[in-house]
Amino acid sequence: ITASTGVVLEVAIAALSAYAFARIRFRFREALFMVMLAAMMIPGQVALIPNYVVLKHLGWINTYQGIVIPHVSSVFGAFLLRQFFLSIPSSLYDAAELDGLGHLRTLFYICLPLARPVVGTLTLYLFIAKWNSYLWPLIVTNTQNMRTLPVGLSMVRQAEYAIGPEH
């Protein structure tokens, strides 16, 4: 549940932000993109305590949204899709504009069908990363029925070592 929901939300947000950075002209676009890329260089562990405090105030500790929502923005996904959207010839965007398509329809009818291989690769990458996520679900959950598989397996393994070898 957490991996699938997180991947769907993360790919959707990455596609929307990538299209905006690739095709929409707005003030400070390049500066904002550089700030976004700089955010990739900050380790995720730096934000653990602030994220936990925010989730505690929202009442999202030990909930699915507490596991999923803090990690639905993907700088890597936005960067990957932006680079692909920039590689699409501008004549295709011009033709879509002449046909009367707005930005969202251009994204859904032109860009995303062409980006299926990239979106598929991003989806697989994100799903594996979310499936194997250990630290955040461990911190955010406090009951056994909310733990994800990697956390649950680790708990079983620790319990096995605590009991000792059976002879």
Side-chain angles (χ1 to χ4, degrees):
I1 292 171
T2 60
S4 299
T5 305
V7 166
V8 167
L9 290 172
E10 195 163 343
V11 169
I13 291 171
L16 291 168
S17 61
Y19 181 82
F21 279 118
R23 302 307 307 172
I24 299 174
R25 304 279 177 237
F26 57 90
R27 193 172 179 184
F28 303 119
R29 180 181 71 163
E30 297 302 321
L32 286 173
F33 188 69
M34 289 301 150
V35 167
M36 193 173 81
L37 285 180
M40 279 179 57
M41 297 175 205
I42 299 171
Q45 292 82 359
V46 171
L48 282 177
I49 294 173
N51 282 343
Y52 184 84
V53 170
V54 168
L55 290 184
K56 187 165 176 66
H57 287 297
L58 290 173
W60 286 3
I61 300 297
N62 207 39
T63 62
Y64 287 121
Q65 63 263 28
I67 298 171
V68 174
I69 297 296
H71 297 100
V72 294
S73 61
S74 170
V75 175
F76 173 74
F79 175 74
L80 183 69
L81 287 172
R82 176 189 177 264
Q83 294 308 112
F84 180 79
F85 292 159
L86 287 175
S87 73
I88 296 173
S90 60
S91 59
L92 212 52
Y93 292 110
D94 296 339
E97 187 179 340
L98 284 174
D99 285 342
L101 296 181
H103 289 297
L104 274 179
R105 291 181 73 189
T106 301
L107 172 66
F108 289 121
Y109 293 125
I110 307 293
C111 295
L112 286 179
L114 290 173
R116 272 185 286 194
V118 178
V119 171
T121 303
L122 180 63
T123 301
L124 285 173
Y125 172 77
L126 291 175
F127 186 81
I128 290 169
K130 289 188 181 303
W131 184 267
N132 290 331
S133 179
Y134 177 76
L135 185 60
W136 183 249
L138 176 66
I139 291 172
V140 161
T141 59
N142 53 21
T143 60
Q144 220 170 7
N145 62 347
M146 285 302 296
R147 302 268 159 102
T148 59
L149 187 62
V151 176
L153 288 175
S154 175
M155 296 290 175
V156 168
R157 197 170 188 185
Q158 287 176 1
E160 181 180 300
Y161 286 127
I163 293 172
E166 296 182 35
H167 293 287

